[in-house]
Amino acid sequence: MLVQLQLDGEARDLSLLEFEELVGSAGGEPVAVITGSRRAPHARTFVGEGKLEEIAAACRDNEAELVIFNHALSPSQERNLERALSCRVLARTGLILDIFAQRARTHEGKLQVELAQLTHMSTRLVRGWTHLERQKGGIGLRGPGETQLETDRRLLRARIKSIQARLERVRNQREQSRRARRRAELPVLSLVGYTNAGKSTLFNRLTSSAVYAADKLFATLDPTLARVDIEHLGPVLFADTVGFISDLPTTLVEAFKATLEETANATLLLHVVDVAADNRDELMADVQTVLGEIRADALPQLLVFNKLDLVEQPARILRDEQGMAVAVYVSAVTGEGITLLLEAVRERLSVALFDEEVTLDATHGRLRAALYAQGAVCTEEWQSDGSSRLHVRMPLSDWRRLNR
């Protein structure tokens, strides 16, 4: 049973379609949707008495086992609703956490999900064991000095601390890898965007990889990096990252910091947008909000309008007044516009590009072979004196390294 209310003063309308997709991604089968509007949430049950009776009746008629709210519920509201409806009640945060738990593949991903779940659960322990907190004394009622609630809190704190220490080690390992990449001066292009915008499909198309891609929300949880040699530019790293969503729980942002740092340290962000989405401007704003939370909103961005195969539009590059590429229209499924995307990437990363003609004589054979090995030679003309004139285009750092 899905429940969604429109509250007065909310900045945007909640998407019912996205809510249903989230439930489907979690493996749920929606039997009915209850909608309505309120000036403000009810303190005890979030919904009013009339709406609560409507939900209860619909639960009985449809034999629903679970009621999911597309809102954040307080622990007491969840408990009051469960008591009134006689079935489990889940809030939006719990739903997203459940999807993340199903999708986690790597050891690090599982740790991050467990940390988010435990952090979320720790707020739900309040008054969960009030019937045991009366063990304060009296004949035959003197307990061991610690209530069940305190024991649970202590065990949770210990487990959270342990996971945080292990994730800190992962973060340090990632930082070492990043330092190595910086020394090698490899540009990192991080694919970011709303969940299900087609980032993994685009990543597979660009890198010839086989990363799991599906028409589901949060199909990708673990960051994947792949090195690609782009003609006339040299090697770059593409990073596929977790998708964003509106009202992404802060516990998740905190737990996935090690993963999201891959985005915060990128050279260029490829902001993938579903061009066929009706509310794409809102989705883009949501992505910007999350990028702000991880301090990545100031990084240079190239918009990639994906899923051209679903709309009648040609592949093209959009430029600003200075002639700089700011957006590219592509289809990751058909491959249309991928050449234009690589051209735009070359332009955006060519700030430190060596693009000149050089003359090499017979003593520079090793340098000429290295230039060809890097795919940096655009044209070559042989001169009458036996020297050759080459048009070379490559990253300035690589040119300096070869010269040394």
Side-chain angles (χ1 to χ4, degrees):
M1 182 71 58
L2 312 189
V3 180
Q4 176 173 298
L5 300 186
Q6 187 61 44
L7 301 172
D8 287 358
E10 276 192 328
R12 55 176 282 181
D13 291 343
L14 295 166
S15 168
L16 192 58
L17 180 64
E18 179 186 275
F19 183 30
E20 289 175 356
E21 280 183 12
L22 274 173
V23 175
S25 295
E29 295 176 20
V31 289
V33 180
I34 305 286
T35 57
S37 57
R38 267 188 78 86
R39 190 164 293 165
H42 191 281
R44 285 192 71 256
T45 55
F46 194 85
V47 295
E49 285 183 22
K51 189 60 71 176
L52 189 60
E53 286 173 13
E54 184 187 337
I55 297 168
C59 281
R60 286 192 300 273
D61 295 344
N62 294 282
E63 297 179 356
E65 299 168 334
L66 177 66
V67 178
I68 306 177
F69 280 71
N70 196 17
H71 305 275
L73 299 176
S74 70
S76 61
Q77 283 172 339
E78 274 188 24
R79 277 194 302 278
N80 292 333
L81 283 165
E82 285 182 347
R83 204 173 293 130
L85 300 172
S86 302
C87 68
R88 278 187 60 226
V89 172
L90 200 62
R92 181 185 172 88
T93 304
L95 175 63
I96 294 174
L97 280 171
D98 185 80
I99 297 170
F100 271 48
Q102 291 181 44
R103 297 281 190 278
R105 296 280 185 277
T106 64
H107 176 63
E108 181 198 347
K110 289 172 182 173
L111 277 179
Q112 289 174 137
V113 170
E114 189 182 350
L115 176 61
Q117 285 178 322
L118 291 176
T119 309
H120 179 65
M121 196 192 299
S122 64
T123 63
R124 259 102 188 116
L125 279 180
V126 183
R127 293 194 215 96
W129 294 89
T130 42
H131 60 290
L132 289 172
E133 287 210 89
R134 297 198 184 103
Q135 295 180 2
K136 289 195 173 107
I139 298 170
L141 289 175
R142 286 180 241 272
E146 186 174 42
T147 65
Q148 181 67 49
L149 178 59
E150 287 166 346
T151 308
D152 281 10
R153 277 187 183 147
R154 182 169 50 77
L155 292 171
L156 267 182
R157 276 198 300 269
R159 180 66 182 153
I160 287 172
K161 213 169 182 179
S162 162
I163 294 174
Q164 284 173 335
R166 287 157 81 179
L167 283 175
E168 190 58 41
R169 285 199 293 274
V170 172
R171 193 172 292 159
N172 291 337
Q173 287 165 2
R174 282 190 187 280
E175 187 51 45
Q176 285 175 351
S177 301
R178 276 195 288 270
R179 277 200 293 270
R181 291 202 294 269
R182 279 197 290 269
R183 280 197 297 272
E185 293 178 314
L186 272 180
V188 179
L189 288 83
S190 186
L191 278 75
V192 300
Y194 209 78
T195 180
N196 208 25
K199 294 181 295 300
S200 295
T201 309
L202 181 61
F203 179 84
N204 289 339
R205 173 70 65 175
L206 290 166
T207 63
S208 304
S209 301
V211 166
Y212 176 68
D215 187 17
K216 291 178 180 174
L217 302 185
F218 300 116
T220 304
L221 273 197
D222 307 302
T224 312
L225 286 101
R227 178 177 163 143
V228 177
D229 283 304
I230 296 181
E231 194 181 4
H232 307 318
L233 180 63
V236 299
L237 275 177
F238 283 100
D240 188 21
T241 58
V242 62
F244 300 155
I245 197 166
S246 61
D247 305 320
L248 189 68
T250 49
T251 49
L252 280 179
V253 176
E254 191 60 36
F256 277 74
K257 247 187 183 146
T259 301
L260 294 171
E261 275 174 5
E262 219 52 84
T263 298
N265 288 278
T267 314
L268 176 68
L269 298 181
L270 299 183
H271 182 171
V272 184
V273 180
D274 181 353
V275 74
D278 297 330
N279 58 337
R280 73 180 192 198
D281 291 340
E282 285 182 0
L283 305 186
M284 289 165 70
D286 288 329
V287 172
Q288 287 302 129
T289 302
V290 181
L291 287 175
E293 285 182 35
I294 60 172
R295 297 190 179 91
D297 52 335
L299 292 174
Q301 280 187 39
L302 176 65
L303 285 172
V304 183
F305 290 109
N306 188 27
K307 304 192 182 182
L308 266 190
D309 47 299
L310 301 180
V311 293
E312 293 294 321
Q313 287 193 44
R316 64 192 188 278
I317 297 178
L318 298 185
R319 301 179 185 279
D320 60 12
E321 294 83 7
Q322 287 77 42
M324 182 188 283
V326 290
V328 189
Y329 284 78
V330 304
S331 168
V333 169
T334 65
E336 188 184 359
I338 296 298
T339 311
L340 293 175
L341 174 58
L342 293 176
E343 184 185 320
V345 166
R346 265 195 299 270
E347 282 182 32
R348 294 297 297 265
L349 295 179
S350 65
V351 182
L353 195 70
F354 180 84
D355 188 2
E356 291 181 29
E357 292 196 341
V358 295
T359 303
L360 303 180
D361 58 31
T363 61
H364 291 122
R366 279 181 66 200
L367 176 57
R368 180 175 173 275
L371 289 170
Y372 268 102
Q374 291 213 11
V377 180
C378 300
T379 58
E380 181 178 21
E381 288 179 17
W382 288 94
Q383 309 297 313
S384 55
D385 59 356
S387 63
S388 64
R389 190 160 181 79
L390 292 84
H391 178 191
V392 176
R393 187 186 291 153
M394 66 191 303
L396 188 58
S397 56
D398 286 358
W399 170 250
R400 286 172 180 159
R401 182 169 50 77
L402 282 176
N403 266 307
R404 283 202 296 273

